[in-house]
Amino acid sequence: MLSLKKYLTEGLLQFTILLSLIGVRVDVDTYLTSQLPPLREIILGPSSAYTQTQFHNLRNTLDGYGIHPKSIDLDNYFTARRLLSQVRALDRFQVPTTEVNAWLVHRDPEGSVSGSQPSAGLALESSSGLQDVTGPDNGVRESETEQGFSEDLEDLGAVAPPVSGDLTKEDIDLIDILWRQDIDLGAGREVFDYSHRQKEQDVDKDLRDGGEQEDTWAGEGAEALARNLLVDGETGESFPAQVPGGEDQTALSLEECLRLLEATCPFGENAEFPADVSSLTEVVPSESEPPALENNLLSPLLTGTESPFDLEQQWQDLMSIMEMQAMEVNSSASEILYSAPPGDPLSTNYSLAPNTPINQNVSLHQASLGGCSQDFSLFSPEVESLSVAGSSTLLPLVPSNSTSLNSTFGSTNLAGLFFPPQLNGTANDTAGPELPDPLGGLLDEAMLDEISLMDLAIEEGFNPVQASQLEDEFDSDSGLSLDSSHSPSSLSSSEGSSTSSSSSSSSSSSSSSSSTSSSASSSFSEEGAVGYSSDSETLDLEEAEGAVGYQPEYSKFCRMSYQDPSQLSCLPYLEHVGHNHTYNMAPSALDAADLPPPSALKKGSKEKQADFLDKQMSRDEHRARAMKIPFTNDKIINLPVEEFNELLSKYQLSEAQLSLIRDIRRRGKNKMAAQNCRKRKLDTILNLERDVEDLQRDKARLLREKVEFLRSLRQMKQKVQSLYQEVFGRLRDENGRPYSPSQYALQYAGDGSVLLIPRTMADQQARRQERKPKDRRK
DNA sequence: ACTACTTGTCATACG
DNA sequence: CACGTATGACAAGTA
């Protein structure tokens, strides 16, 4: 696990840094901290749709967002520097490969690829290479690349499906029928030949003409190539992490990132990327200037929604650790009230002037808690100095009078403490008018539960240790929430999921939900609902397109655009095995299965091709062939009703044939509908998942805020307590003697005055105040 | 052999 | 009503 983390983190760091340089939102924080689950999800991804689209959208989302300042420490800074240099090295290493593979890819359309079968890795790199070489505009370039690939694959696909060697009489008849049909439609063989040679789209004629080529292609080479190109498609989607064998892919992605950076680099005019990198590296500050790193390297990523969250979390963790240590240190002395243990940050913070920034033990958490110190600032400096002195003088006083003091504060519930009933007595001139306001403001918060908790702590002796224990319970609670918010897919992954799901839900299916992100919507509308575009384009292209069944593997790992049927054509050949019950099966493929000139087929591949064909053909296709349906299932399914009826009217079809055709059409449409439905369902689930993550994050944040309030409240109480001690200790009766804490207590009045009352009365008041909130709660 | 997952299909409801 | 779509349920295939 650790090694995995290190390995993944490094690669991802590189990628992330580069993405950040481009301005893409990346939650580096998630990577840098020990959040392994999201990492694992991104790389090994349980649902690749999830992560894939996430990457997609990471790239598309150009609003900087999400890196947390907390991750900018020296370690990370050094890591960033080191990784940047590595990135540069990677770029250097990758360039030659890129060129070579670009050449390979470009050779594909010329049909000469069969000789040079690239390995999977090569093909993979070739895609990025192709992308690298193509135009400067990234988006256009990418789409162009995909288009090019689709065409390439189309071409490959045109020959890839093996052709059944053993032709029955029936087959030959069907061939003739189809041929006649083509002629009826005005397409002679020459047209197909031409289109094959020129456009390389016509699978049908390709198969008729090039039997030898088919044999060449139908072999393992074609499959390997298909696989490679599948990987190509993935890389084309810039989703390297999904691909097994991470290092290379990561490098490629980095390279791609560098290219992207080259195109979109906000740093200016540097034309060459290495120069960019170096300049960026220079922009990255020297070790003595961490803020510069923050600003220049990561600032595009800082937008803060997540940032305070994680910063606070870190403070929180730090606090917890400190408190734990304090608890351990003080466990033995915990009985001593008010003894401020050296390790207790709260006590220390409290005993010193709260606003003093030079408090080493001050809870870092409160550094971000402006309200707390502000509240303290409401105390007059005199009081604060008194409190400082008082806390020190309290130490010897407490053991002797612990019970009385405890009863004084413990029996006074918070409301009573802060809003005591008006009682007659002498108003204290020091703290009287100032006390209620800040404290009353605190009470305005809806934290009655916590207050009661704190009351419990107070009642149990105002023991800071116990209070902190209580608080730690909250901490652990929030910690759990934090974990949960991080665990499933954490911040970054949740972002990814959100984008993914949102992009998904914005699919072409109109009924699909709701969601938001518009920038990413294109990514899913591309991958989107399995549409059988029944427009004329389909008619034109369907001859060329291969089987367009919804390919699970492909859709999983390679969510590129296949709304366009021409791009779809690559799919079936990418998934060379597996069920391919495609209704969009290229008529040419069907025809080819039936039509190939027997002489052109080589004996060796006959059986293989037959098997392959059988697997490729859906049941309905088999039925259609058996029933001698004179047109393709693709047409049956995808034609608009009018054209479909028109087509039916052209032929004298038996009732059984008509029935079968209608069944095929119904099933085909329903199949598409089912696919869309499932996709929609998945999107819904992903959206829900994202919502849950958001809610968990909110919950964690609220819990943290709650704990912060509790903490500040505790400090307030301590402050009040010290002031109480101070004031009480200075009170003198008419004889000039101090009042005994066991007999008298100070009572705060609602108007801010402080009354000195006998302890019996104070206890009664306290009990009365104690009941009120409980009743109110019920 | 068993299981989980995917995909196709059917039935049904709805627009 | 015909047609297309959506969706739950089931079956078959696959890993």
Side-chain angles (χ1 to χ4, degrees):
Chain A
M1 209 59 171
L2 260 177
S3 63
L4 172 70
K5 175 186 169 189
K6 183 169 163 46
Y7 174 75
L8 296 181
T9 304
E10 290 223 348
L12 270 177
L13 259 177
Q14 299 171 4
F15 188 56
T16 301
I17 289 169
L18 282 163
L19 284 178
S20 73
L21 291 175
I22 309 169
V24 172
R25 167 181 58 192
V26 179
D27 195 348
V28 172
D29 183 31
T30 314
Y31 301 157
L32 295 183
T33 49
S34 58
Q35 309 303 330
L36 201 45
L39 261 182
R40 189 178 51 219
E41 275 200 9
I42 285 177
I43 294 187
L44 307 172
S47 111
S48 52
Y50 192 54
T51 29
Q52 169 104 29
T53 323
Q54 171 190 353
F55 254 81
H56 217 82
N57 292 315
L58 275 178
R59 198 159 114 190
N60 293 336
T61 314
L62 289 179
D63 53 335
Y65 173 77
I67 287 217
H68 197 279
K70 93 174 175 192
S71 58
I72 306 166
D73 51 21
L74 274 183
D75 279 349
N76 294 340
Y77 166 62
F78 289 130
T79 309
R81 277 184 74 92
R82 179 172 54 85
L83 292 177
L84 262 178
S85 61
Q86 289 183 11
V87 162
R88 280 191 288 174
L90 283 172
D91 184 55
R92 273 198 300 277
F93 288 137
Q94 294 297 324
V95 168
T97 322
T98 300
E99 291 172 353
V100 168
N101 292 308
W103 177 83
L104 285 175
V105 171
H106 284 303
R107 296 287 293 179
D108 286 352
E110 302 174 13
S112 60
V113 196
S114 56
S116 63
Q117 298 293 340
S119 71
L122 280 177
L124 165 74
E125 291 170 354
S126 72
S127 82
S128 67
L130 182 58
Q131 284 196 352
D132 293 343
V133 196
T134 27
D137 184 320
N138 181 34
V140 174
R141 180 188 64 192
E142 192 171 308
S143 63
E144 284 175 359
T145 308
E146 289 182 4
Q147 185 81 22
F149 263 123
S150 303
E151 290 175 3
D152 297 345
L153 291 171
E154 243 167 87
D155 185 28
L156 298 175
V159 282
V163 179
S164 168
D166 31 11
L167 286 176
T168 63
K169 176 79 168 53
E170 184 181 308
D171 293 331
I172 295 174
D173 289 343
L174 181 53
I175 290 167
D176 286 336
I177 288 172
L178 288 167
W179 182 28
R180 276 197 301 274
Q181 173 190 345
D182 288 335
I183 292 176
D184 288 342
L185 294 175
R189 293 192 180 192
E190 311 78 31
V191 176
F192 289 105
D193 288 354
Y194 174 81
S195 67
H196 160 61
R197 292 197 180 104
Q198 298 297 321
K199 300 176 184 177
E200 298 178 337
Q201 285 183 340
D202 193 338
V203 181
D204 191 357
K205 289 300 173 182
D206 197 324
L207 288 169
R208 285 183 213 173
D209 294 343
E212 292 183 359
Q213 208 178 4
E214 288 165 21
D215 288 343
T216 319
W217 281 97
E220 288 191 1
E223 292 183 1
L225 185 59
R227 277 195 302 272
N228 299 340
L229 290 168
L230 169 63
V231 180
D232 270 345
E234 292 183 27
T235 323
E237 283 298 284
S238 79
F239 191 58
Q242 195 73 26
V243 187
E247 187 81 31
D248 289 341
Q249 280 72 25
T250 307
L252 284 168
S253 302
L254 288 171
E255 182 186 350
E256 189 179 335
C257 278
L258 298 179
R259 301 292 171 187
L260 290 173
L261 178 59
E262 190 176 0
T264 62
C265 177
F267 291 91
E269 292 75 33
N270 301 1
E272 279 192 322
F273 182 73
D276 280 350
V277 172
S278 60
S279 68
L280 288 172
T281 321
E282 291 165 5
V283 170
V284 173
S286 63
E287 287 81 347
S288 59
E289 301 172 331
L293 170 67
E294 190 175 329
N295 293 333
N296 293 321
L297 180 58
L298 297 174
S299 62
L301 313 168
L302 296 171
T303 44
T305 319
E306 313 287 349
S307 303
F309 177 90
D310 285 333
L311 182 59
E312 291 173 11
Q313 183 190 341
Q314 288 244 324
W315 290 134
Q316 189 86 21
D317 296 339
L318 191 53
M319 270 297 290
S320 302
I321 292 171
M322 291 173 68
E323 285 193 358
M324 291 286 284
Q325 291 172 347
M327 283 173 59
E328 290 172 3
V329 169
N330 299 325
S331 58
S332 60
S334 61
E335 293 82 7
I336 305 175
L337 284 175
Y338 311 123
S339 70
D344 189 341
L346 289 177
S347 304
T348 314
N349 182 32
Y350 147 73
S351 63
L352 291 177
N355 281 332
T356 308
I358 323 168
N359 194 338
Q360 289 183 349
N361 278 338
V362 71
S363 93
L364 293 173
H365 191 67
Q366 291 156 10
S368 63
L369 202 69
C372 185
S373 50
Q374 274 185 355
D375 289 340
F376 280 120
S377 70
L378 291 173
F379 291 93
S380 67
E382 180 191 9
V383 174
E384 294 198 355
S385 62
L386 285 179
S387 75
V388 173
S391 63
S392 57
T393 56
L394 279 176
L395 287 175
L397 180 139
V398 170
S400 59
N401 277 335
S402 61
T403 53
S404 66
L405 282 171
N406 287 344
S407 63
T408 301
F409 277 91
S411 61
T412 307
N413 114 351
L414 248 189
L417 180 65
F418 296 143
F419 298 116
Q422 181 78 42
L423 285 182
N424 296 330
T426 61
N428 188 298
D429 54 349
T430 312
E434 298 190 26
L435 261 179
D437 288 339
L439 301 179
L442 254 181
L443 280 182
D444 287 339
E445 308 292 336
M447 359 186 310
L448 289 175
D449 293 345
E450 291 70 38
I451 286 173
S452 69
L453 258 179
M454 291 301 295
D455 285 342
L456 275 178
I458 290 171
E459 286 169 1
E460 288 170 9
F462 213 102
N463 189 333
V465 176
Q466 291 177 358
S468 68
Q469 278 175 343
L470 279 173
E471 210 167 276
D472 284 341
E473 290 181 5
F474 275 102
D475 281 349
S476 67
D477 186 9
S478 72
L480 278 177
S481 300
L482 284 178
D483 287 343
S484 65
S485 76
H486 276 286
S487 59
S489 48
S490 179
L491 301 182
S492 68
S493 72
S494 80
E495 289 308 316
S497 80
S498 73
T499 47
S500 151
S501 49
S502 61
S503 66
S504 301
S505 61
S506 62
S507 74
S508 60
S509 66
S510 58
S511 71
S512 181
S513 55
S514 57
S515 183
T516 49
S517 151
S518 59
S519 67
S521 62
S522 60
S523 68
F524 184 74
S525 64
E526 289 175 348
E527 67 158 308
V530 177
Y532 20 120
S533 51
S534 48
D535 50 7
S536 57
E537 188 188 26
T538 308
L539 288 176
D540 295 339
L541 288 169
E542 65 180 335
E543 254 84 25
E545 73 178 76
V548 198
Y550 179 66
Q551 306 300 321
E553 263 75 25
Y554 180 82
S555 70
K556 226 188 274 175
F557 294 110
C558 178
R559 292 207 165 187
M560 57 190 291
S561 160
Y562 58 91
Q563 188 85 342
D564 183 358
S566 66
Q567 296 182 356
L568 279 173
S569 60
C570 67
L571 304 185
Y573 310 110
L574 299 181
E575 187 194 40
H576 50 284
V577 186
H579 28 235
N580 186 357
H581 326 261
T582 67
Y583 293 100
N584 295 353
M585 182 72 161
S588 51
L590 273 178
D591 297 348
D594 302 337
L595 291 179
S599 60
L601 289 174
K602 292 185 177 176
K603 311 291 179 183
S605 58
K606 266 189 183 179
E607 277 188 25
K608 197 176 176 182
Q609 288 172 347
D611 293 344
F612 186 74
L613 182 74
D614 285 342
K615 283 180 182 175
Q616 286 280 314
M617 283 179 60
S618 69
R619 280 173 281 181
D620 276 340
E621 279 158 354
H622 283 292
R623 290 191 203 115
R625 196 169 68 162
M627 293 285 287
K628 299 181 182 178
I629 304 297
F631 31 79
T632 66
N633 284 20
D634 181 65
K635 278 181 179 170
I636 291 173
I637 295 164
N638 290 333
L639 280 182
V641 197
E642 302 86 32
E643 297 181 44
F644 175 65
N645 289 331
E646 201 176 327
L647 184 64
L648 288 185
S649 65
K650 281 183 186 173
Y651 301 89
Q652 274 79 31
L653 297 169
S654 68
E655 200 53 42
Q657 279 176 318
L658 282 175
S659 172
L660 176 62
I661 286 173
R662 300 211 175 273
D663 279 348
I664 288 173
R665 186 175 173 88
R666 175 179 50 78
R667 279 194 289 263
K669 288 200 175 298
N670 188 250
K671 183 175 114 181
M672 303 294 189
Q675 289 166 354
N676 286 338
C677 182
R678 283 166 179 145
K679 208 174 291 183
R680 229 182 345 263
K681 206 183 286 182
L682 178 65
D683 293 338
T684 305
I685 292 172
L686 291 178
N687 275 330
L688 288 174
E689 186 182 10
R690 182 202 57 190
D691 291 346
V692 167
E693 286 162 2
D694 290 346
L695 289 175
Q696 283 176 338
R697 223 177 305 157
D698 288 346
K699 182 188 171 190
R701 178 180 50 80
L702 290 173
L703 276 174
R704 270 194 317 280
E705 291 176 1
K706 198 170 153 184
V707 171
E708 289 169 14
F709 282 128
L710 277 180
R711 226 171 244 138
S712 65
L713 183 62
R714 185 171 63 185
Q715 288 185 337
M716 293 293 176
K717 288 194 174 187
Q718 288 176 331
K719 191 82 181 175
V720 169
Q721 187 183 3
S722 78
L723 289 173
Y724 179 95
Q725 299 291 333
E726 187 66 27
V727 169
F728 193 85
R730 290 179 176 234
L731 287 180
R732 295 291 182 271
D733 59 10
E734 54 273 9
N735 298 327
R737 288 176 299 194
Y739 288 100
S740 164
S742 59
Q743 294 172 5
Y744 292 94
L746 287 178
Q747 185 73 258
Y748 302 101
D751 61 353
S753 59
V754 178
L755 313 173
L756 181 70
I757 60 175
R759 183 153 287 283
T760 52
M761 280 183 65
D763 291 346
Q764 288 174 2
Q765 290 287 334
R767 276 189 219 106
R768 226 176 296 153
Q769 292 294 328
E770 206 172 68
R771 283 187 214 112
K772 272 187 185 175
K774 289 180 181 175
D775 295 342
R776 204 193 320 162
R777 218 171 295 157
K778 288 171 186 174

